Amino acid sequence: MTFQSPAWLWALLVLPILAAGLVYWARSRRGAAARYADPEVLPLNFSARSRALRTASAVALLLAVGAGIMSLSRPSADATEDQEQSAIVLAIDVSNSMLKTDLEPSRLDAA
């Protein structure tokens, strides 16, 4: 496999930085909720389901960014195997010009 634009692969170094940013954002969000929210109004303990969905969405984001970067590098596979292919086309003109009798018995019968 070769890449038509391999310089885009350097952009994959952004993925760990983006992952660290997502972890930092999640932790700072939790800390901000603990500082500013009224515990009676907003529960500080998120359910396991919401944490799992938030984690799954972060993983999907990282995979989508990685796939986008890989597609920008334009991967291509070299297929150099020998293939023997042939095509035979048989075309017969059946128009009225083939009914002329300049050939014996007619052009269509001669073909």
Side-chain angles (χ1 to χ4, degrees), residues 24-73:
Y24 175 76
W25 175 71
R27 289 187 179 173
S28 67
R29 184 174 183 263
R30 188 178 310 141
R35 277 192 302 268
Y36 297 113
D38 184 9
E40 296 176 6
V41 177
L42 180 68
L44 295 178
N45 295 330
F46 297 109
S47 68
R49 181 176 181 219
S50 68
R51 280 192 300 255
L53 288 174
R54 200 171 286 127
T55 303
S57 66
V59 169
L61 170 77
L62 290 173
L63 287 175
V65 170
I69 291 170
M70 287 298 291
S71 66
L72 286 172
S73 67

Side-chain angles (χ1 to χ4, degrees), residues 57 64 75 81 97 101:
S57 66
E81 55 192 49
S97 66
T101 58

Side-chain angles (χ1 to χ4, degrees), residues 69-85:
I69 291 170
M70 287 298 291
S71 66
L72 286 172
S73 67
R74 296 174 50 200
S76 62
D78 296 329
T80 58
E81 55 192 49
D82 293 333
Q83 296 179 354
E84 293 184 21
Q85 295 180 348

Side-chain angles (χ1 to χ4, degrees), residues 4 7 21 29 32 42 52 60 75 82 85 93 98 102 104-105:
Q4 302 294 324
R29 184 174 183 263
L42 180 68
D82 293 333
Q85 295 180 348
D93 185 9
M98 293 297 284
D102 57 347
E104 289 296 326

